[in-house]
Amino acid sequence: GITAARAHFGLPYKAEAETLDIEAPDSTILTYNRSIDRVGLMFEQTRGVLIGPDAARLLPLKMREFEDLGEPTEMRTGSKIVDLLNGWETKGRILLRQIDPVPFTLLAAIPNMEVGG
């Protein structure tokens, strides 16, 4: 048999949140290209998030602020403004992914969008 002082078991998983196609409240913009250059996010007790316009262009969301060097990143509760390197897209979606075994609670995603392009 195998002996161990400490063992961790579990299955790997990823949590994802993706916004729907953005639509205007008074008229349709489905046929127009959209660019989201910035998004406001609201979190509760979250860390370890990747963000981007799609799965191929995800980047780590920088959440370290006041921790001393060598300390782990604290859980974040509150808002965070994120600048995205996003071109003109037909859907204008935002994808958030969390692959670490730590909490991820997204309360809101508020995009800053331009239509046209």
Side-chain angles (χ1 to χ4, degrees):
I2 299 173
T3 60
R6 181 184 301 190
H8 298 272
F9 296 92
L11 297 173
Y13 67 92
K14 63 182 172 185
E16 290 186 338
E18 184 175 19
T19 61
L20 298 173
D21 294 352
I22 296 176
E23 186 58 83
D26 298 330
S27 63
T28 186
I29 57 171
L30 289 176
T31 59
Y32 295 95
N33 285 333
R34 290 156 262 198
S35 176
I36 300 171
D37 61 348
R38 177 177 284 183
V39 61
L41 302 169
M42 296 281 299
F43 294 109
E44 182 176 340
Q45 296 297 308
T46 297
R47 77 171 202 204
V49 178
L50 304 169
I51 185 169
D54 54 45
R57 296 181 281 174
L58 292 175
L59 295 173
L61 182 60
K62 296 178 182 168
M63 298 185 98
R64 287 187 70 86
E65 288 190 347
F66 306 112
E67 299 89 347
D68 291 331
L69 186 63
E71 289 184 4
T73 304
E74 294 179 5
M75 297 293 178
R76 175 144 190 140
T77 295
S79 62
K80 178 119 179 116
I81 305 295
V82 180
D83 292 323
L84 298 175
L85 299 174
N86 195 1
W88 290 95
E89 309 282 339
T90 57
K91 296 181 179 179
R93 291 186 174 199
I94 300 163
L95 176 67
L96 294 108
R97 179 180 290 168
Q98 212 284 354
I99 59 173
D100 298 321
V102 293
F104 169 44
T105 303
L106 177 67
L107 301 175
I110 302 124
N112 179 42
M113 179 182 67
E114 289 186 48
V115 177

